[in-house]
Amino acid sequence: MAHVAIIGTRGYPSYYGGFETAVRFLGEFLVEKDWDVTIYGRPESGEGNHKADPRIEVKFTRGWDKKATSTLSYGMTASIDAVRLKPDVALVMNVANGYWLPLLKARGIPTLVNVDGVEWERAKWNRAARAVFRVGGRLTARFADEIVVDAEAIGDRWQEWYGRPGVYIPYGSLEVPKRPAPFGLPQGSYVLFVARFVPENSVDEFFEASRKIARDVPVVIVGSSGYGGELDQAAAALTSEFDSVRWLGHVRDDNLLHDLWSNCGVYFHGHTVGGTNPALVQAMRCGAPVLARDTVFNREVLAETGHFVDSDPGVIADALRDLLAAPAEARCLGEAAALRAREKFDWPSICGDYKRALENLLE
């Protein structure tokens, strides 16, 4: 029985972001295939409506819960514990943990590293943090036994920068039952926004666009910064200014998110960096009509099943209105997106790809 340690997420079952979503599905998939699974995490994980699988070992290590230090510090302490534990293979998430790969290599633990997006291009980081991620990327390229890229465009960049081809494994989605919209919202009547509150997710631009449409259109906002700050304050101000704007904060209930995606008139996906986004592929699987920021990553995922827009809030507002005013077109977009997600972004298939990549390292 093979033993895998998963390092670099908030834990299991956590609902914070893409890595945590992937680990929830992958950990349970692997234990069903008779693997021993240890997932390193932080004490605040384990919230939400998902019941934890008791066969998965969850280990908490210490770290510093600050925006600039959390990933590095928790990654370090988890890697040190994994050196003691000595699993057969380690799945490491995020290039910031490239600093600790030499420890795992010295212990003879093969590593599969999901490099995520291009962290040093994210606007939320200052110059020092971007430098840290750049060095982490170089160390990952040097010491990882194999890397995973969640988008082909990310793979192209790693090949160009470091000469490292990556295994392409995107994020997945699940089929969900169709149920009524929550909060009494009429089906197809509202604009939905789901994102972590960071600048590169077009949060400011969407808030400004919302001010232009909120007198006529219900707007539902899901997300937060996780640390408080100006964007959270801006969301609160919107709800105070417009009765039609509902801000739910960070949602840990998958069923609520699925119901919101399944019944929205249009879902605005504002992410501009990173690769395949897990929220986007699940929104597609739910049949949400998608208006996305025009990036190489969003076009790779959506292909012809979405509409694309630039960063201008006025243009975003007009595009949202136009799609809401064309329900037949929106319905066709949603159906096409659901079919694409079913064929290309399906969690059982994605987890199988991870399992094969880990097995290749064991061999």
Side-chain angles (χ1 to χ4, degrees):
M1 182 182 295
H3 181 194
V4 60
I6 302 178
I7 297 168
T9 75
R10 290 178 175 253
Y12 166 83
S14 180
Y15 291 75
Y16 187 72
F19 280 161
E20 285 72 22
T21 302
V23 165
R24 264 194 289 140
F25 287 105
L26 179 60
E28 293 170 11
F29 179 89
L30 290 175
V31 294
E32 284 292 333
K33 302 298 182 182
D34 295 324
W35 283 59
D36 284 333
V37 177
T38 299
I39 300 176
Y40 287 93
R42 310 177 191 180
E44 78 272 15
S45 67
E47 301 176 348
N49 66 329
H50 185 88
K51 186 176 180 180
D53 191 314
R55 295 170 294 178
I56 294 175
E57 180 187 21
V58 179
K59 301 196 74 173
F60 299 128
T61 60
R62 294 185 177 183
W64 293 272
D65 281 310
K66 300 295 183 182
K67 180 178 177 181
T69 59
S70 59
T71 300
L72 277 172
S73 60
Y74 281 104
M76 178 185 68
T77 55
S79 297
I80 291 171
D81 192 81
V83 165
R84 180 195 60 80
L85 187 67
K86 202 179 188 306
D88 298 306
V89 64
L91 173 61
V92 181
M93 316 297 271
N94 198 312
V95 296
N97 292 309
Y99 289 88
W100 322 125
L101 294 180
L103 299 176
L104 300 171
K105 182 173 283 291
R107 185 65 164 136
I109 303 170
T111 53
L112 177 68
V113 181
N114 185 318
V115 301
D116 197 20
V118 186
E119 281 289 338
W120 51 89
E121 291 184 356
R122 296 187 188 273
K124 67 177 181 178
W125 300 120
N126 60 29
R127 182 176 298 179
R130 292 176 189 177
V132 168
F133 280 113
R134 284 185 183 276
V135 175
R138 296 190 190 103
L139 291 169
T140 297
R142 179 176 178 183
F143 290 105
D145 291 287
E146 183 62 89
I147 65 171
V148 170
V149 294
D150 61 37
E152 292 174 354
I154 294 291
D156 293 341
R157 293 190 181 189
W158 274 74
Q159 180 67 56
E160 176 187 351
W161 293 335
Y162 305 117
R164 282 295 305 259
V167 178
Y168 167 63
I169 308 178
Y171 289 99
S173 63
L174 284 180
E175 198 74 28
V176 297
K178 182 72 172 179
R179 301 186 304 189
F183 312 120
L185 291 163
Q187 182 179 357
S189 69
Y190 59 93
V191 170
L192 177 63
F193 179 75
V194 179
R196 192 180 307 171
F197 285 4
V198 291
E200 59 267 21
N201 290 346
S202 308
V203 183
D204 269 330
E205 293 87 342
F206 178 77
F207 287 176
E208 186 60 33
S210 295
R211 287 190 174 86
K212 300 178 183 299
I213 65 173
R215 297 194 186 280
D216 308 309
V217 177
V219 177
V220 179
I221 300 169
V222 176
S224 70
S225 68
Y227 298 93
E230 293 181 0
L231 291 175
D232 297 78
Q233 294 168 11
L238 267 177
T239 62
S240 298
E241 185 177 353
F242 299 100
D243 292 337
S244 59
V245 176
R246 184 187 296 265
W247 177 37
L248 303 181
H250 179 58
V251 171
R252 296 176 173 86
D253 185 340
D254 278 353
N255 293 329
L256 174 56
L257 279 174
H258 297 161
D259 293 343
L260 287 168
W261 275 317
S262 297
N263 292 282
C264 68
V266 55
Y267 165 59
F268 178 70
H269 185 75
H271 296 62
T272 60
V273 300
T276 298
N277 183 271
L280 177 56
V281 295
Q282 188 59 56
M284 293 166 64
R285 189 70 173 263
C286 292
V290 180
L291 176 69
R293 281 291 306 274
D294 194 354
T295 71
V296 63
F297 307 115
N298 291 339
R299 283 191 176 271
E300 179 181 320
V301 174
L302 283 160
E304 304 301 320
T305 70
H307 286 183
F308 302 94
V309 70
D310 65 24
S311 62
D312 182 85
V315 174
I316 294 171
D318 289 343
L320 291 170
R321 282 199 193 95
D322 290 346
L323 201 49
L324 284 171
E329 179 185 2
R331 185 169 55 253
C332 288
L333 272 183
E335 291 171 354
L339 177 61
R340 179 171 173 80
R342 192 176 301 116
E343 293 176 346
K344 190 173 176 62
F345 306 108
D346 185 66
W347 271 123
S349 175
I350 300 303
C351 291
D353 290 341
Y354 268 105
K355 177 174 175 286
R356 281 185 289 274
L358 292 168
E359 289 171 340
N360 288 339
L361 292 180
L362 293 176
E363 294 171 2

